[in-house]
Amino acid sequence: MQQKTERPLSKRVVILAVLAALLLVCAGFFCAAMLFAPQPENGAEQNTGVVLDKNAVAFTNDALEASEAHEQLSIRFPVYPEITIEKDKSYIPIVLANPAGNPCYFTFHVSVKESGDVLYTSGLVEPGMAIERVELEKTLEPGDYTLVIDIGTSALEDQTQMNGGSVETALHVTE
């Protein structure tokens, strides 16, 4: 009877075993990274290239929504009442809203008509969302001003520019 002698493992087998182990470790890291990666909130898609304004909050206006059906083809623009603030106020209490049901994102550009000073420029605001107030970099002197609110629009699907609008309202700054 012959005894079997053990052959040493060839270099090729050892190299293949090490490569297979490294591949398994890499696959494990990849799976863990995908499993624990931050997920988008509210079912939003990642990496669409759309950067929404982080200051926008959910907004509804029952009177506006009741006046028109959601299946509209036109863009609804908000209107703004006169605003009065005290001279030391660091913000303007104005709601820059994109009404629910609009087929586009809004961007808001708020400026003072008399001086051309830009007070605020927003990022993209989704339909049904709003910016609750405009923070001021510096306080305004007492007096009467005309605020110009330019509203840019871009399609929800591909962000192509659509018809925009411009709205004016009075701003009274008191002592």
Side-chain angles (χ1 to χ4, degrees):
M1 239 165 99
Q2 287 185 346
Q3 279 187 329
K4 290 186 176 178
T5 59
E6 291 187 32
R7 277 176 63 187
L9 295 175
S10 71
K11 285 184 182 180
R12 184 179 296 173
V13 172
V14 171
I15 291 172
L16 287 175
V18 169
L19 287 175
L22 285 174
L23 183 63
L24 284 173
V25 169
C26 289
F29 279 124
F30 177 77
C31 289
M34 295 304 291
L35 183 64
F36 295 108
Q39 298 297 316
E41 296 181 19
N42 300 330
E45 291 183 37
Q46 280 184 312
N47 299 323
T48 61
V50 176
V51 179
L52 300 175
D53 194 305
K54 65 181 178 1
N55 296 314
V57 296
F59 178 79
T60 59
N61 182 333
D62 295 334
L64 185 59
E65 289 180 19
S67 68
E68 295 184 33
H70 284 284
E71 293 79 33
Q72 65 185 21
L73 297 175
S74 61
I75 300 171
R76 292 184 287 173
F77 291 99
V79 293
Y80 299 96
E82 289 187 8
I83 302 167
T84 301
I85 63 171
E86 293 177 3
K87 71 176 183 177
D88 58 346
K89 198 69 126 176
S90 65
Y91 65 91
I92 300 173
I94 186 170
V95 177
L96 303 173
N98 183 353
N102 267 345
C104 57
Y105 296 107
F106 276 7
T107 53
F108 296 94
H109 183 83
V110 181
S111 60
V112 178
K113 185 175 186 176
E114 292 79 6
S115 65
D117 290 343
V118 176
L119 302 178
Y120 181 77
T121 300
S122 77
L124 295 173
V125 178
E126 297 174 278
M129 301 294 277
I131 307 296
E132 293 182 301
R133 64 190 198 176
V134 171
E135 297 289 337
L136 298 172
E137 290 184 17
K138 60 181 182 176
T139 57
L140 297 169
E141 292 297 318
D144 294 329
Y145 301 91
T146 302
L147 289 183
V148 178
I149 304 149
D150 291 314
I151 304 169
T153 60
S154 54
L156 295 174
E157 301 80 31
D158 58 6
Q159 289 76 53
T160 55
Q161 187 175 352
M162 299 174 72
N163 292 337
S166 185
V167 180
E168 293 184 0
T169 191
L171 172 64
H172 308 288
V173 180
T174 63
E175 293 283 339

